[in-house]
PDB file of all heavy atoms in Angstrom:
ATOM      1  N   ASP A 265      77.838  -9.823  30.454  1.00 96.00           N
ATOM      2  CA  ASP A 265      78.658 -10.824  29.692  1.00 96.00           C
ATOM      3  C   ASP A 265      78.103 -10.936  28.269  1.00 96.00           C
ATOM      4  O   ASP A 265      78.890 -11.231  27.342  1.00 96.00           O
ATOM      5  CB  ASP A 265      78.537 -12.212  30.374  1.00 96.00           C
ATOM      6  CG  ASP A 265      79.144 -12.202  31.705  1.00 96.00           C
ATOM      7  OD1 ASP A 265      79.916 -11.274  32.061  1.00 96.00           O
ATOM      8  OD2 ASP A 265      78.901 -13.165  32.499  1.00 96.00           O
ATOM      9  N   SER A 266      76.831 -10.785  28.062  1.00 95.00           N
ATOM     10  CA  SER A 266      76.275 -10.973  26.712  1.00 95.00           C
ATOM     11  C   SER A 266      76.470  -9.799  25.821  1.00 95.00           C
ATOM     12  O   SER A 266      76.217  -9.871  24.606  1.00 95.00           O
ATOM     13  CB  SER A 266      74.723 -11.236  26.846  1.00 95.00           C
ATOM     14  OG  SER A 266      74.140 -10.007  27.392  1.00 95.00           O
ATOM     15  N   ASN A 267      76.973  -8.713  26.370  1.00 90.00           N
ATOM     16  CA  ASN A 267      77.167  -7.500  25.577  1.00 90.00           C
ATOM     17  C   ASN A 267      75.875  -6.962  24.954  1.00 90.00           C
ATOM     18  O   ASN A 267      75.917  -6.220  23.980  1.00 90.00           O
ATOM     19  CB  ASN A 267      78.234  -7.658  24.482  1.00 90.00           C
ATOM     20  CG  ASN A 267      79.648  -7.726  25.113  1.00 90.00           C
ATOM     21  OD1 ASN A 267      79.822  -7.083  26.114  1.00 90.00           O
ATOM     22  ND2 ASN A 267      80.501  -8.572  24.577  1.00 90.00           N
ATOM     23  N   LEU A 268      74.737  -7.365  25.497  1.00 95.00           N
ATOM     24  CA  LEU A 268      73.467  -6.864  24.975  1.00 95.00           C
ATOM     25  C   LEU A 268      73.342  -5.377  25.270  1.00 95.00           C
ATOM     26  O   LEU A 268      72.798  -4.598  24.541  1.00 95.00           O
ATOM     27  CB  LEU A 268      72.304  -7.607  25.592  1.00 95.00           C
ATOM     28  CG  LEU A 268      71.980  -8.970  25.024  1.00 95.00           C
ATOM     29  CD1 LEU A 268      70.855  -9.658  25.831  1.00 95.00           C
ATOM     30  CD2 LEU A 268      71.552  -8.897  23.533  1.00 95.00           C
ATOM     31  N   ALA A 269      73.890  -4.970  26.451  1.00 97.00           N
ATOM     32  CA  ALA A 269      73.860  -3.545  26.822  1.00 97.00           C
ATOM     33  C   ALA A 269      75.282  -3.012  26.655  1.00 97.00           C
ATOM     34  O   ALA A 269      76.255  -3.722  26.756  1.00 97.00           O
ATOM     35  CB  ALA A 269      73.425  -3.419  28.282  1.00 97.00           C
ATOM     36  N   GLU A 270      75.332  -1.686  26.438  1.00 97.00           N
ATOM     37  CA  GLU A 270      76.684  -1.044  26.311  1.00 97.00           C
ATOM     38  C   GLU A 270      77.285  -0.850  27.683  1.00 97.00           C
ATOM     39  O   GLU A 270      78.504  -0.949  27.825  1.00 97.00           O
ATOM     40  CB  GLU A 270      76.473   0.345  25.634  1.00 97.00           C
ATOM     41  CG  GLU A 270      76.694   0.199  24.170  1.00 97.00           C
ATOM     42  CD  GLU A 270      76.843   1.544  23.480  1.00 97.00           C
ATOM     43  OE1 GLU A 270      76.910   2.620  24.103  1.00 97.00           O
ATOM     44  OE2 GLU A 270      76.942   1.494  22.249  1.00 97.00           O
ATOM     45  N   LYS A 271      76.414  -0.517  28.676  1.00 98.00           N
ATOM     46  CA  LYS A 271      76.967  -0.258  29.993  1.00 98.00           C
ATOM     47  C   LYS A 271      75.967  -0.701  30.999  1.00 98.00           C
ATOM     48  O   LYS A 271      74.744  -0.405  30.881  1.00 98.00           O
ATOM     49  CB  LYS A 271      77.277   1.249  30.173  1.00 98.00           C
ATOM     50  CG  LYS A 271      78.091   1.590  31.376  1.00 98.00           C
ATOM     51  CD  LYS A 271      78.710   2.943  31.225  1.00 98.00           C
ATOM     52  CE  LYS A 271      79.554   3.360  32.452  1.00 98.00           C
ATOM     53  NZ  LYS A 271      80.032   2.392  33.333  1.00 98.00           N
ATOM     54  N   VAL A 272      76.423  -1.443  31.967  1.00 98.00           N
ATOM     55  CA  VAL A 272      75.504  -1.994  33.018  1.00 98.00           C
ATOM     56  C   VAL A 272      75.867  -1.324  34.353  1.00 98.00           C
ATOM     57  O   VAL A 272      77.063  -1.338  34.772  1.00 98.00           O
ATOM     58  CB  VAL A 272      75.602  -3.552  33.145  1.00 98.00           C
ATOM     59  CG1 VAL A 272      74.649  -4.050  34.192  1.00 98.00           C
ATOM     60  CG2 VAL A 272      75.390  -4.180  31.765  1.00 98.00           C
ATOM     61  N   TYR A 273      74.886  -0.801  35.043  1.00 98.00           N
ATOM     62  CA  TYR A 273      75.100  -0.182  36.354  1.00 98.00           C
ATOM     63  C   TYR A 273      74.513  -1.103  37.428  1.00 98.00           C
ATOM     64  O   TYR A 273      73.281  -1.230  37.532  1.00 98.00           O
ATOM     65  CB  TYR A 273      74.445   1.198  36.445  1.00 98.00           C
ATOM     66  CG  TYR A 273      74.855   2.175  35.396  1.00 98.00           C
ATOM     67  CD1 TYR A 273      74.284   2.270  34.150  1.00 98.00           C
ATOM     68  CD2 TYR A 273      75.956   3.041  35.635  1.00 98.00           C
ATOM     69  CE1 TYR A 273      74.646   3.235  33.222  1.00 98.00           C
ATOM     70  CE2 TYR A 273      76.394   3.992  34.686  1.00 98.00           C
ATOM     71  CZ  TYR A 273      75.695   4.044  33.484  1.00 98.00           C
ATOM     72  OH  TYR A 273      76.132   4.978  32.525  1.00 98.00           O
ATOM     73  N   TYR A 274      75.393  -1.747  38.222  1.00 98.00           N
ATOM     74  CA  TYR A 274      74.906  -2.568  39.340  1.00 98.00           C
ATOM     75  C   TYR A 274      76.043  -2.673  40.330  1.00 98.00           C
ATOM     76  O   TYR A 274      77.137  -3.075  39.957  1.00 98.00           O
ATOM     77  CB  TYR A 274      74.515  -3.989  38.838  1.00 98.00           C
ATOM     78  CG  TYR A 274      73.963  -4.836  39.937  1.00 98.00           C
ATOM     79  CD1 TYR A 274      72.749  -4.504  40.567  1.00 98.00           C
ATOM     80  CD2 TYR A 274      74.639  -5.972  40.368  1.00 98.00           C
ATOM     81  CE1 TYR A 274      72.214  -5.291  41.599  1.00 98.00           C
ATOM     82  CE2 TYR A 274      74.106  -6.773  41.413  1.00 98.00           C
ATOM     83  CZ  TYR A 274      72.909  -6.376  42.016  1.00 98.00           C
ATOM     84  OH  TYR A 274      72.430  -7.152  43.042  1.00 98.00           O
ATOM     85  N   PRO A 275      75.794  -2.258  41.586  1.00 98.00           N
ATOM     86  CA  PRO A 275      76.896  -2.241  42.579  1.00 98.00           C
ATOM     87  C   PRO A 275      77.584  -3.590  42.811  1.00 98.00           C
ATOM     88  O   PRO A 275      78.682  -3.629  43.350  1.00 98.00           O
ATOM     89  CB  PRO A 275      76.207  -1.706  43.854  1.00 98.00           C
ATOM     90  CG  PRO A 275      74.920  -1.117  43.439  1.00 98.00           C
ATOM     91  CD  PRO A 275      74.525  -1.798  42.135  1.00 98.00           C
ATOM     92  N   GLY A 276      76.889  -4.662  42.449  1.00 98.00           N
ATOM     93  CA  GLY A 276      77.461  -5.978  42.674  1.00 98.00           C
ATOM     94  C   GLY A 276      78.511  -6.398  41.629  1.00 98.00           C
ATOM     95  O   GLY A 276      79.239  -7.363  41.839  1.00 98.00           O
ATOM     96  N   LEU A 277      78.549  -5.669  40.508  1.00 98.00           N
ATOM     97  CA  LEU A 277      79.561  -5.993  39.465  1.00 98.00           C
ATOM     98  C   LEU A 277      80.899  -5.356  39.888  1.00 98.00           C
ATOM     99  O   LEU A 277      80.946  -4.215  40.383  1.00 98.00           O
ATOM    100  CB  LEU A 277      79.146  -5.429  38.127  1.00 98.00           C
ATOM    101  CG  LEU A 277      77.878  -6.012  37.483  1.00 98.00           C
ATOM    102  CD1 LEU A 277      77.567  -5.272  36.209  1.00 98.00           C
ATOM    103  CD2 LEU A 277      78.029  -7.506  37.221  1.00 98.00           C
ATOM    104  N   THR A 278      81.974  -6.133  39.681  1.00 98.00           N
ATOM    105  CA  THR A 278      83.318  -5.581  40.048  1.00 98.00           C
ATOM    106  C   THR A 278      83.616  -4.339  39.200  1.00 98.00           C
ATOM    107  O   THR A 278      84.437  -3.540  39.614  1.00 98.00           O
ATOM    108  CB  THR A 278      84.438  -6.682  39.900  1.00 98.00           C
ATOM    109  OG1 THR A 278      84.295  -7.198  38.606  1.00 98.00           O
ATOM    110  CG2 THR A 278      84.250  -7.764  40.980  1.00 98.00           C
ATOM    111  N   SER A 279      82.936  -4.237  38.079  1.00 97.00           N
ATOM    112  CA  SER A 279      83.205  -3.018  37.202  1.00 97.00           C
ATOM    113  C   SER A 279      82.524  -1.791  37.770  1.00 97.00           C
ATOM    114  O   SER A 279      82.819  -0.679  37.311  1.00 97.00           O
ATOM    115  CB  SER A 279      82.673  -3.300  35.777  1.00 97.00           C
ATOM    116  OG  SER A 279      81.281  -3.576  35.863  1.00 97.00           O
ATOM    117  N   HIS A 280      81.619  -1.953  38.750  1.00 98.00           N
ATOM    118  CA  HIS A 280      81.051  -0.698  39.306  1.00 98.00           C
ATOM    119  C   HIS A 280      82.120   0.046  40.085  1.00 98.00           C
ATOM    120  O   HIS A 280      82.846  -0.522  40.919  1.00 98.00           O
ATOM    121  CB  HIS A 280      79.906  -1.147  40.284  1.00 98.00           C
ATOM    122  CG  HIS A 280      79.085   0.042  40.797  1.00 98.00           C
ATOM    123  ND1 HIS A 280      79.520   0.936  41.672  1.00 98.00           N
ATOM    124  CD2 HIS A 280      77.800   0.511  40.421  1.00 98.00           C
ATOM    125  CE1 HIS A 280      78.561   1.865  41.909  1.00 98.00           C
ATOM    126  NE2 HIS A 280      77.547   1.609  41.170  1.00 98.00           N
ATOM    127  N   PRO A 281      82.216   1.361  39.793  1.00 98.00           N
ATOM    128  CA  PRO A 281      83.315   2.106  40.417  1.00 98.00           C
ATOM    129  C   PRO A 281      83.379   2.137  41.935  1.00 98.00           C
ATOM    130  O   PRO A 281      84.358   2.398  42.559  1.00 98.00           O
ATOM    131  CB  PRO A 281      83.155   3.537  39.846  1.00 98.00           C
ATOM    132  CG  PRO A 281      81.793   3.564  39.243  1.00 98.00           C
ATOM    133  CD  PRO A 281      81.410   2.191  38.960  1.00 98.00           C
ATOM    134  N   GLN A 282      82.222   1.832  42.545  1.00 98.00           N
ATOM    135  CA  GLN A 282      82.167   1.844  43.997  1.00 98.00           C
ATOM    136  C   GLN A 282      81.817   0.477  44.581  1.00 98.00           C
ATOM    137  O   GLN A 282      81.226   0.364  45.665  1.00 98.00           O
ATOM    138  CB  GLN A 282      81.134   2.893  44.467  1.00 98.00           C
ATOM    139  CG  GLN A 282      81.473   4.264  44.060  1.00 98.00           C
ATOM    140  CD  GLN A 282      80.295   5.177  44.208  1.00 98.00           C
ATOM    141  OE1 GLN A 282      79.294   5.036  43.548  1.00 98.00           O
ATOM    142  NE2 GLN A 282      80.385   6.110  45.161  1.00 98.00           N
ATOM    143  N   HIS A 283      82.278  -0.583  43.877  1.00 98.00           N
ATOM    144  CA  HIS A 283      81.976  -1.937  44.357  1.00 98.00           C
ATOM    145  C   HIS A 283      82.536  -2.195  45.713  1.00 98.00           C
ATOM    146  O   HIS A 283      81.852  -2.835  46.543  1.00 98.00           O
ATOM    147  CB  HIS A 283      82.549  -2.886  43.289  1.00 98.00           C
ATOM    148  CG  HIS A 283      82.392  -4.319  43.649  1.00 98.00           C
ATOM    149  ND1 HIS A 283      81.128  -4.965  43.746  1.00 98.00           N
ATOM    150  CD2 HIS A 283      83.284  -5.337  43.938  1.00 98.00           C
ATOM    151  CE1 HIS A 283      81.251  -6.191  44.098  1.00 98.00           C
ATOM    152  NE2 HIS A 283      82.538  -6.459  44.197  1.00 98.00           N
ATOM    153  N   GLU A 284      83.693  -1.662  45.998  1.00 98.00           N
ATOM    154  CA  GLU A 284      84.346  -1.898  47.358  1.00 98.00           C
ATOM    155  C   GLU A 284      83.508  -1.249  48.431  1.00 98.00           C
ATOM    156  O   GLU A 284      83.301  -1.805  49.517  1.00 98.00           O
ATOM    157  CB  GLU A 284      85.788  -1.461  47.392  1.00 98.00           C
ATOM    158  CG  GLU A 284      86.749  -2.283  46.540  1.00 98.00           C
ATOM    159  CD  GLU A 284      86.665  -3.789  46.856  1.00 98.00           C
ATOM    160  OE1 GLU A 284      86.678  -4.127  48.054  1.00 98.00           O
ATOM    161  OE2 GLU A 284      86.570  -4.623  45.900  1.00 98.00           O
ATOM    162  N   LEU A 285      83.075   0.012  48.151  1.00 98.00           N
ATOM    163  CA  LEU A 285      82.233   0.702  49.155  1.00 98.00           C
ATOM    164  C   LEU A 285      80.914  -0.051  49.321  1.00 98.00           C
ATOM    165  O   LEU A 285      80.445  -0.159  50.480  1.00 98.00           O
ATOM    166  CB  LEU A 285      81.971   2.182  48.663  1.00 98.00           C
ATOM    167  CG  LEU A 285      80.987   2.975  49.538  1.00 98.00           C
ATOM    168  CD1 LEU A 285      81.518   3.158  50.928  1.00 98.00           C
ATOM    169  CD2 LEU A 285      80.755   4.357  48.842  1.00 98.00           C
ATOM    170  N   ALA A 286      80.370  -0.570  48.252  1.00 98.00           N
ATOM    171  CA  ALA A 286      79.118  -1.339  48.375  1.00 98.00           C
ATOM    172  C   ALA A 286      79.299  -2.533  49.292  1.00 98.00           C
ATOM    173  O   ALA A 286      78.466  -2.821  50.117  1.00 98.00           O
ATOM    174  CB  ALA A 286      78.658  -1.768  46.950  1.00 98.00           C
ATOM    175  N   LYS A 287      80.414  -3.169  49.124  1.00 98.00           N
ATOM    176  CA  LYS A 287      80.665  -4.350  50.015  1.00 98.00           C
ATOM    177  C   LYS A 287      80.812  -3.907  51.471  1.00 98.00           C
ATOM    178  O   LYS A 287      80.444  -4.672  52.389  1.00 98.00           O
ATOM    179  CB  LYS A 287      81.979  -5.075  49.573  1.00 98.00           C
ATOM    180  CG  LYS A 287      81.763  -5.915  48.291  1.00 98.00           C
ATOM    181  CD  LYS A 287      82.835  -6.987  48.121  1.00 98.00           C
ATOM    182  CE  LYS A 287      84.177  -6.365  47.798  1.00 98.00           C
ATOM    183  NZ  LYS A 287      85.149  -7.321  47.301  1.00 98.00           N
ATOM    184  N   LYS A 288      81.340  -2.732  51.660  1.00 98.00           N
ATOM    185  CA  LYS A 288      81.565  -2.267  53.047  1.00 98.00           C
ATOM    186  C   LYS A 288      80.303  -1.802  53.759  1.00 98.00           C
ATOM    187  O   LYS A 288      80.037  -2.138  54.880  1.00 98.00           O
ATOM    188  CB  LYS A 288      82.554  -1.070  52.964  1.00 98.00           C
ATOM    189  CG  LYS A 288      83.235  -0.746  54.315  1.00 98.00           C
ATOM    190  CD  LYS A 288      84.260   0.358  54.157  1.00 98.00           C
ATOM    191  CE  LYS A 288      83.643   1.760  54.299  1.00 98.00           C
ATOM    192  NZ  LYS A 288      84.541   2.865  54.111  1.00 98.00           N
ATOM    193  N   GLN A 289      79.457  -1.010  53.026  1.00 98.00           N
ATOM    194  CA  GLN A 289      78.321  -0.429  53.739  1.00 98.00           C
ATOM    195  C   GLN A 289      76.961  -1.090  53.483  1.00 98.00           C
ATOM    196  O   GLN A 289      75.987  -0.759  54.188  1.00 98.00           O
ATOM    197  CB  GLN A 289      78.273   1.062  53.553  1.00 98.00           C
ATOM    198  CG  GLN A 289      77.699   1.516  52.231  1.00 98.00           C
ATOM    199  CD  GLN A 289      77.731   3.086  52.146  1.00 98.00           C
ATOM    200  OE1 GLN A 289      78.291   3.766  52.964  1.00 98.00           O
ATOM    201  NE2 GLN A 289      77.046   3.601  51.101  1.00 98.00           N
ATOM    202  N   MET A 290      76.942  -2.043  52.559  1.00 98.00           N
ATOM    203  CA  MET A 290      75.659  -2.725  52.301  1.00 98.00           C
ATOM    204  C   MET A 290      75.827  -4.215  52.574  1.00 98.00           C
ATOM    205  O   MET A 290      76.908  -4.707  52.476  1.00 98.00           O
ATOM    206  CB  MET A 290      75.263  -2.496  50.815  1.00 98.00           C
ATOM    207  CG  MET A 290      74.936  -1.096  50.473  1.00 98.00           C
ATOM    208  SD  MET A 290      75.387  -0.467  48.798  1.00 98.00           S
ATOM    209  CE  MET A 290      74.697  -1.674  47.679  1.00 98.00           C
TER     210      MET A 290
END
Side-chain angles (χ1 to χ4, degrees):
D265 295 346
S266 63
N267 287 325
L268 282 174
E270 266 192 5
K271 194 161 176 21
V272 182
Y273 301 91
Y274 183 65
L277 294 176
T278 50
S279 57
H280 189 285
Q282 296 166 296
H283 180 62
E284 289 308 313
L285 174 61
K287 284 200 289 193
K288 197 175 88 182
Q289 76 180 11
M290 293 146 51

